[in-house]
């Protein structure tokens, strides 16, 4: 008895939890694309009014955010497309690809901020009337804060990598706006111009640190890294919990970008009929789908105790 059963999750175009997650993903991208031009327009006006290089840096950072938001919008729309004849595994990896591009934008903006900050540290430049700049930065902080809260709620619900990268952009932008305000105020109160570049360098370091984390997660998905040990252990426990299960081997898991892929060989008693084996597999698959709602499960059934070639025997110990 060697039978393979493959069970697909609900179609992204169908009703249910997956469709709701898709709507929230799209909503987060639309909100990001809407906020970006508002921030750019406000900061451009503030720069013209103050001639502040720190505000110019924030303006350029927001421009990079806008480009990244458009990439996020396109990638999420692509990732949510259902499988087709050319992409039978779906399009979920469009999101981690977009996250890598966004990480590059984050690093680029961080390098620019670091360069500008170092230049201002060694060559201080005077700033004009800061009133307009303070009001614009305060409004930008409030608007960005609301957007980031919404994005993080969507991230917790959907685990979207692209939206996570986009949220990091705007988190950095929010900190940058606050740093601009603090540096402008400190410059006025102390008469010293070094406050702004010091804050800028700190924010640049924060952005690079965040970009490294985003790119590492994206590469794990693209390279089909195994799911965390806690998830793999949960799969094993659920399979072994069924009274008809005699164990499993060759467990393989990965993230698909929108969900998970779980594949293993299920060991069953050899006297079972094909129908009985199929019913047992359906029950085990249902318990796995309850624990991993967006998972695609592939189960290969075989007699318990069969001495055959196994992937488990060929694998090197898993690297931590």
């Amino acid at each position: 008895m060697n039978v393979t059963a493959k069970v697909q999750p609900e179609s992204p175009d169908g009703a249910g939890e997956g469709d709701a997650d898709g709507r929230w993903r799209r909503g987060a991208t639309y909100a990001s694309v809407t906020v970006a031009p508002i921030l750019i327009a406000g900061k451009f006006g503030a720069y013209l009014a103050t001639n502040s290089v720190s505000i110019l840096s924030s303006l350029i950072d927001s421009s990079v955010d806008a480009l990244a938001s458009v990439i996020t919008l396109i990638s999420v729309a692509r990732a949510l497309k259902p499988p087709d004849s050319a992409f039978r595994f779906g399009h979920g990896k469009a999101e981690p690809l977009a996250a890598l591009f966004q990480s590059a934008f984050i690093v680029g903006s961080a390098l620019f901020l670091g360069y500008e900050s170092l230049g201002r540290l060694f060559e201080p430049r005077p700033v004009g009337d800061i009133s307009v700049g303070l009001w614009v930065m305060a409004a930008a902080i409030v608007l960005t804060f609301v957007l980031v809260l919404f994005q993080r709620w969507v991230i917790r619900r959907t685990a979207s990598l692209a939206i996570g990268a986009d949220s990091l952009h705007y988190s950095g932008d929010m900190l940058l706006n606050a740093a601009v305000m603090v540096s402008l105020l400190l410059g006025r109160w102390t008469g010293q111009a070094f406050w702004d570049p010091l804050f800028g360098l700190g924010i640049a370091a924060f952005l690079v640190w965040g970009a490294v984390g985003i790119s590492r997660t994206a590469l794990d998905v693209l390279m089909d890294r195994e799911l965390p040990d806690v998830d793999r252990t949960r799969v094993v426990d659920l399979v072994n919990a069924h009274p008809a299960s005699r164990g499993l081997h060759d467990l393989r898991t990965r993230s698909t970008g929108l969900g998970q892929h779980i594949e293993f060989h299920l060991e069953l008693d050899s006297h079972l009929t094909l129908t009985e084996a199929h019913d047992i597999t359906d029950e085990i698959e249902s318990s796995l789908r309850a624990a991993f709602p967006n998972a695609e499960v592939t189960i290969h059934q075989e007699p318990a105790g069969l001495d055959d070639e196994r992937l488990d025997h060929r694998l090197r110990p898993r690297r931590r």
Side-chain angles (χ1 to χ4, degrees), residues 38-39 132-145 177 181:
I38 297 175
L39 295 176
V132 175
L134 290 175
W135 280 109
V136 170
M137 291 298 107
I141 288 174
V142 173
L143 185 60
T144 307
F145 179 72
N177 294 336
M181 293 182 66

Side-chain angles (χ1 to χ4, degrees), residues 26-39:
R26 293 187 185 95
T29 60
Y30 295 151
S32 176
V33 171
T34 301
V35 166
I38 297 175
L39 295 176

